[in-house]
């Protein structure tokens, strides 16, 4: 194989095994981006096979660390998703993911002396994170080998490092170029009026065969939105209640339950379900893309950070590619402002038992002073007639 035995310490012994008297354990690190576009079982088996084929004499793989996640994920956020569990029964050995590899390397007596991967991109497509990993391992006397590079730590490393850094730069460039091209393709898909993701409540997907013959042969389809005859009218009513009566999302949810409206999940209505419907601009008859942006992983395992994107940066379907609307744009726009307009107003139709004996002011905070625009509140004053009170708004 044209390799020489690196001067690495044997497993389970302190210091360095310069005489080569014992087997040297390596840690395999692997990664596949997704479980849908790729076949993780075949990909990981190939990566492990190539690593084993390139092992110098006296070396063996002591631990297997791999993840199924994007190579652009920050190094400190790796191994937070459990997609790999879908393939736990595929017979691929796994001692953990990238996070477990780093923890083992930082321990006092790690069960491996170096790391090997199919190519340097498997450790991560982000150059900064790949270099950070290499630096961490080197600080502990470990190196990272790649099967597509010369494995010879006794030779000068200058040329190997130069080629590796060039490959890392190309890998990161390719990742950003691919993301940009995929995003532009998705934008054009939406401009053409085709829906992305599941059909929102109130609509049904009207599917057609994908125009790409290869994708069509794999069963891929495209979908336009058509109103659901049962759920669609309820969407219109939700917006009307919100805008014309200015009721809360809780009140709307309770009204829907009482009226027997089918809920999105079949488990009954909640204020959150109502809020998602009130925020979705697809009900105006145009598919929209880019309302939120993924900004990385959250503090909890498997959580993603998502932030809202200003409306000026949304991508809308062309007017010529509209689908039937359930609410007009003016009604949708007004619904977006009701929350700030309502403030902390409590709807009278779902009072708690503790507040049932209190005086109800139906117009409290719903009318404003013409001059100062402050909201009115109610007061009660007794009249001269016994048992009769007057209600005033100030």
């Amino acid at each position: 194989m044209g390799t020489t035995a690196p001067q690495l310490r044997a497993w389970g012994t302190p210091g360095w095994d310069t005489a080569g008297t014992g087997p040297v354990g390596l840690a395999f690190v692997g990664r596949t981006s997704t479980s849908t576009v790729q076949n993780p079982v075949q990909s990981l088996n190939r990566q492990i096979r190539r690593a084993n084929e390139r092992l110098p004499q006296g070396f063996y793989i002591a631990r297997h660390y791999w993840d199924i996640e994007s190579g652009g994920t920050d190094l400190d956020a790796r191994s937070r998703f459990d997609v790999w569990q879908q393939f736990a029964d595929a017979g691929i050995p796994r001692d953990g993911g990238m996070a477990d590899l780093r923890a083992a390397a930082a321990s006092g007596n790690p069960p491996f002396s170096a790391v090997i991967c199919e190519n340097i991109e498997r450790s991560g497509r982000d150059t900064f994170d790949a270099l950070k990993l290499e630096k961490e391992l080197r600080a502990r006397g470990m190196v990272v080998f790649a099967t597509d590079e010369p494995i010879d730590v006794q030779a000068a490393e200058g040329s190997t490092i130069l080629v590796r850094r060039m490959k890392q730069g190309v890998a990161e460039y390719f990742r950003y170029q691919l993301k940009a091209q995929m995003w532009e393709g998705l934008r054009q898909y939406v401009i053409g009026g085709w829906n992305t993701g599941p059909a929102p409540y109130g609509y049904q997907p009207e599917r057609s065969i994908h125009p790409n013959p290869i994708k069509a042969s794999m069963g891929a389809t495209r979908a336009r939105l058509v109103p659901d005859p049962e759920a669609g009218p309820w969407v219109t009513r939700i917006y009307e209640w919100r805008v014309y009566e200015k009721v809360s999302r809780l009140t709307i949810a309770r009204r829907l339950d009482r009226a027997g409206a089918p809920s999105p999940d079949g488990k009954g209505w909640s204020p959150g379900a109502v809020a998602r419907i009130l925020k979705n601009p697809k009900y105006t008859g145009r598919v929209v893309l880019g309302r939120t942006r993924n900004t990385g992983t959250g503090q909890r395992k498997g959580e993603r950070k998502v932030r809202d994107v200003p409306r000026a940066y949304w991508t809308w379907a062309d007017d010529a590619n509209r689908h039937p609307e359930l609410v007009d744009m003016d009604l949708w726009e007004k619904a977006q402002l009701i929350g700030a307009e309502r403030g902390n107003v409590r709807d009278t139709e779902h009072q708690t038992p503790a507040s049932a004996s209190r005086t109800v002011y139906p117009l409290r905070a719903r009318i404003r002073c013409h001059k100062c625009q402050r909201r009115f509140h109610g007061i009660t004053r007794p009249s001269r007639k016994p048992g009769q009170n007057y209600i005033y708004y100030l």
Side-chain angles (χ1 to χ4, degrees):
M1 289 182 290
T3 59
T4 60
Q7 304 295 314
L8 301 178
R9 64 184 175 87
W11 178 83
T13 60
W16 297 92
D17 184 14
T18 57
T21 57
V24 179
L26 301 183
F28 164 81
V29 60
R31 180 189 57 79
T32 61
S33 295
T34 65
S35 60
T36 54
V37 179
Q38 297 173 304
N39 184 326
V41 175
Q42 290 186 1
S43 177
L44 289 167
N45 279 326
R46 185 198 69 242
Q47 294 176 43
I48 294 174
R49 173 180 57 80
R50 294 193 63 187
N52 278 299
E53 290 174 351
R54 290 283 287 140
L55 288 177
Q57 184 177 1
F59 283 63
Y60 74 103
I61 294 179
R63 294 291 187 274
H64 295 79
Y65 301 97
W66 51 268
D67 293 299
I68 300 177
E69 60 187 2
S70 170
T73 304
D74 290 344
L75 186 62
D76 293 335
R78 297 281 295 273
S79 308
R80 292 190 182 181
F81 297 93
D82 297 329
V83 181
W84 66 269
Q85 292 183 349
Q86 303 174 23
F87 308 94
D89 299 330
I92 305 174
R94 187 178 191 272
D95 298 290
M98 177 61 73
D100 302 286
L101 167 72
R102 297 172 69 196
S107 65
N109 187 27
F112 52 85
S113 300
V115 174
I116 188 169
C117 55
E118 181 185 38
N119 55 60
I120 203 62
E121 297 176 24
R122 296 299 176 184
S123 65
R125 287 185 180 272
D126 184 88
T127 303
F128 174 82
D129 284 332
L131 291 172
K132 181 179 179 180
L133 177 64
E134 287 188 58
K135 186 174 182 179
E136 285 184 4
L137 295 174
R138 281 189 176 276
R140 296 170 174 86
M142 302 181 187
V143 294
V144 179
F145 297 131
T147 64
D148 58 349
E149 298 174 358
I151 302 179
D152 188 353
V153 298
Q154 292 180 336
E157 295 184 279
S159 59
T160 300
I161 292 176
L162 175 61
V163 172
R164 176 175 291 185
R165 298 297 177 258
M166 292 175 64
K167 288 168 57 181
Q168 288 172 328
V170 170
E172 188 165 12
Y173 166 80
F174 175 77
R175 179 169 70 93
Y176 280 101
Q177 282 293 99
L178 183 61
K179 288 176 63 176
Q181 292 173 6
M182 291 178 64
W183 177 252
E184 289 303 320
L186 190 58
R187 289 187 63 209
Q188 192 59 44
Y189 185 83
V190 167
I191 291 172
W194 303 101
N195 184 55
T196 59
Y201 178 84
Y203 283 110
Q204 294 177 344
E206 185 178 64
R207 300 195 174 278
S208 58
I209 299 175
H210 201 283
N212 186 310
I214 296 179
K215 292 185 177 181
S217 66
M218 299 171 63
T221 60
R222 299 187 301 180
R224 292 192 185 278
L225 297 177
V226 295
D228 183 322
E230 183 178 8
W234 289 108
V235 172
T236 307
R237 192 168 300 181
I238 288 172
Y239 276 85
E240 291 173 345
W241 283 337
R242 182 66 166 172
V243 174
Y244 300 138
E245 298 186 38
K246 296 181 173 57
V247 293
S248 69
R249 294 185 291 265
L250 176 60
T251 296
I252 294 175
R254 292 182 175 180
R255 286 184 180 183
L256 292 168
D257 279 332
R258 289 197 300 267
S263 62
D265 59 3
K267 299 179 181 179
W269 286 90
S270 67
V274 174
R276 286 188 289 273
I277 290 175
L278 289 170
K279 289 177 62 177
N280 198 334
K282 290 184 180 181
Y283 295 116
T284 64
R286 297 169 68 187
V287 180
V288 183
L289 178 71
R291 292 185 293 144
T292 59
R293 182 165 296 169
N294 181 3
T295 58
T297 55
Q299 295 296 323
R300 298 179 181 177
K301 188 173 183 179
E303 182 184 53
R304 289 284 188 184
K305 291 182 181 178
V306 177
R307 67 177 177 85
D308 293 331
V309 175
R311 196 183 304 182
Y313 297 96
W314 296 0
T315 297
W316 297 73
D318 282 344
D319 287 335
N321 301 317
R322 297 174 64 94
H323 56 263
E325 66 181 38
L326 296 180
V327 297
D328 59 45
M329 180 58 79
D330 181 62
L331 190 64
W332 184 84
E333 293 282 10
K334 290 179 179 178
Q336 310 313 301
L337 304 176
I338 294 301
E341 184 178 336
R342 276 180 47 87
N344 60 350
V345 177
R346 178 180 297 173
D347 294 330
T348 59
E349 64 184 79
H350 59 80
Q351 290 188 10
T352 62
S355 62
S357 60
R358 300 175 183 174
T359 302
V360 176
Y361 300 100
L363 299 181
R364 174 181 175 269
R366 297 182 186 276
I367 54 177
R368 293 178 180 269
C369 173
H370 178 70
K371 293 183 178 180
C372 68
Q373 291 301 306
R374 295 175 65 183
R375 295 184 294 182
F376 280 75
H377 67 275
I379 62 170
T380 301
R381 293 291 183 266
S383 70
R384 295 180 180 180
K385 297 180 179 180
Q388 183 176 342
N389 296 322
Y390 291 116
I391 292 177
Y392 299 90
Y393 289 94
L394 305 177

